[in-house]
Every structure is written in structure tokens, then in C-alpha cells.
Amino acid sequence: MMAMFRSFVSGSTQLRQQQQSSGGSGSPAAPAEGIESRFSCPICLEVYHKPVSIASCGHTFCGECLQPCLQVTSPLCPLCRMPFDPKKVERSSSVEKQLSSYKAACRGCSKKVSLVKLRSHISSCSKVQEQIANCPTFVPVMPTSQPIPSNIPNRSTFVCPFCGARNLDQQELVKHCMENHRNDPNKVVCPVCSAMPWGDPTYKSSNFLQHLLHRHKFCYDTFVDYSIDEEVAFQAALALSLAEN
């Protein structure tokens, strides 16, 4: 604990010294570690793009990331869940200024790039693309001799809990509900959550559209190569772990 405190104090002191030495001219110096995370959107976890701030709570997001929340009747801040007035969401000029001022190292080639240009640089950096291509696939924690379960739920397509429309993947479910059930007041069970091992098939969401937009905007399968065989192995390992406990 003391080591963490000394590290925090040391980092804060270095930041003040670097800002003072910059004299306010040119690009201010900033510690490489943490500078990117300080200016990252809580939704997409990337550096802000066209940042906007919610007036009531002060939280900042990418304009595009916050847009789905503005399309529901009673929006909540994705970070603190505080209700807010969609008319009081403003462009954050102060954050934009800081994005132009600070620089961070590319996680691929280590080149120092201003934060406002970091996204476009990373998307074209060959080193980053190479790292993505070499990401390891999912490997079960341990092999198991437990019988393979036969009743693995379908986690690729779902049924609309409002009207029963079938064969909707996660993104199609979000789009379908936004277009057809935006004003439906019924409390329903989330079919995505209930299909997961930790899901509660009896829990009804009081605001299902908000839940969809905040929890299921992005599809997990888009980012993780998770095959059926690996799913079976995961289920078997989970069963073994529960049995041992």
C-alpha cells in the first residue's frame, strides 16, 4: 500500500514539474503511462473522438458512443446511471483542446502521436495490426474428464422478448427493439443475459432498451474467436469447478 502511495505521489510530482517546465508553449510534456487512459471513452475504451459531456454529471464520452443513449425516452448516464436531459449534452471543447495538446506513444511502433490523431494512426499502424493478428485464441484452464453437457444454450441468435421475433443476433436484437419496441413499457427478461451461465432467466429488466444499449451494444463474438468446441470445454471445466467446490 505504501509503495503504491509513493508511486502515486512521485508520478504527480513529475507531472507538475513537466507542466511547469513546458511553460505553456508548444505541446506540454506528460507521462507516457496513463495519458491515453486519462482521455479514453468509458464506452469504447479508445481515445475520445468528438467528445461530448453530460451537463448534470460531467461525464465525457465520444459523441458517437453516447448517441444510442439519446434515442431512448429517459436516458441514463452510461457511467454513473444518473438521469440526464439529452438537450444538455454539449461538445467538450476543453477535452478537445487537451487531445490536441498531449501526445502518447503508439502501442505498436512506440511513435509519439498527438491524442487527437492517435486513433487514425493506430488503425493504420502495421505493428498494431500484427499484434492483433497474433493474439492467442481461448484455451481452457484445464482438461477435464467430466461428461460433455448436451444442453448447451444457443448464444448466437435470440428471440425478441416483446414480440417473439426469432433468429436475431445480438446487434439485430438491439436494432429490432429500437425500431419496434422503443415505447413498450413491459418489463422483460434479457435473452442475451439469460443464455449465459451466470444469467438469471427470471430477472426482468425495468428498462430493457437502456439495458441493451449499455450492456449489449457490442457483440462479444466480434472480438473473440470462441469456437463451439471451446464453448463445450468451458462448460465442462465450469461443471468440474462447481463440483470441486
Side-chain angles (χ1 to χ4, degrees):
M1 182 65 72
M2 288 300 298
M4 292 175 63
F5 177 76
R6 285 195 295 268
S7 176
F8 173 78
V9 173
S10 175
S12 301
T13 303
Q14 290 177 7
L15 177 58
R16 286 197 301 271
Q17 292 173 347
Q18 289 170 341
Q19 290 175 336
Q20 292 170 358
S21 63
S22 68
S25 60
S27 298
E33 292 184 10
I35 188 65
E36 185 177 345
S37 61
R38 282 175 52 199
F39 295 98
S40 292
C41 171
I43 296 178
C44 67
L45 304 181
E46 296 289 344
V47 172
Y48 291 122
H49 178 63
K50 297 182 179 179
V52 295
S53 295
I54 299 174
S56 57
C57 63
H59 290 131
T60 304
F61 307 90
C62 297
E64 184 178 351
C65 291
L66 188 63
Q67 191 60 36
C69 298
L70 305 179
Q71 299 176 5
V72 297
T73 306
S74 302
L76 302 175
C77 172
L79 194 59
C80 67
R81 311 293 290 171
M82 180 178 179
F84 68 91
D85 184 349
K87 295 180 180 179
K88 294 184 179 180
V89 174
E90 300 177 348
R91 180 176 175 179
S92 182
S93 56
S94 61
V95 174
E96 285 185 333
K97 184 178 180 180
Q98 290 175 304
L99 291 177
S100 300
S101 300
Y102 288 115
K103 291 185 176 182
C106 169
R107 50 182 174 264
C109 65
S110 300
K111 179 182 177 180
K112 286 288 187 73
V113 184
S114 64
L115 294 179
V116 73
K117 298 180 179 178
L118 189 59
R119 276 199 180 202
S120 59
H121 172 83
I122 287 177
S123 65
S124 60
C125 177
S126 59
K127 292 289 187 180
V128 173
Q129 301 306 317
E130 183 180 340
Q131 291 174 357
I132 294 174
N134 293 331
C135 284
T137 56
F138 173 82
V139 177
V141 176
M142 62 171 61
T144 178
S145 59
Q146 294 289 320
I148 298 176
S150 59
N151 58 339
I152 298 176
N154 176 14
R155 294 179 188 150
S156 298
T157 59
F158 307 96
V159 176
C160 172
F162 290 115
C163 66
R166 307 180 67 84
N167 299 321
L168 301 171
D169 65 22
Q170 191 165 306
Q171 292 178 333
E172 288 172 343
L173 178 65
V174 174
K175 182 179 179 181
H176 169 83
C177 290
M178 286 298 297
E179 292 178 350
N180 299 282
H181 306 292
R182 182 175 297 184
N183 298 317
D184 195 321
N186 292 324
K187 296 182 179 182
V188 294
V189 176
C190 174
V192 182
C193 291
S194 62
M196 299 300 169
W198 56 85
D200 182 354
T202 64
Y203 177 77
K204 292 185 177 182
S205 175
S206 59
N207 194 329
F208 181 60
L209 289 182
Q210 285 280 6
H211 173 82
L212 277 180
L213 293 173
H214 295 157
R215 304 298 181 189
H216 304 301
K217 178 181 178 182
F218 301 106
C219 182
Y220 182 76
D221 294 337
T222 303
F223 303 99
V224 179
D225 182 12
Y226 199 69
S227 68
I228 295 298
D229 290 339
E230 290 166 348
E231 168 68 8
V232 171
F234 170 78
Q235 289 284 346
L238 178 65
L240 176 61
S241 176
L242 293 174
E244 290 176 346
N245 294 332

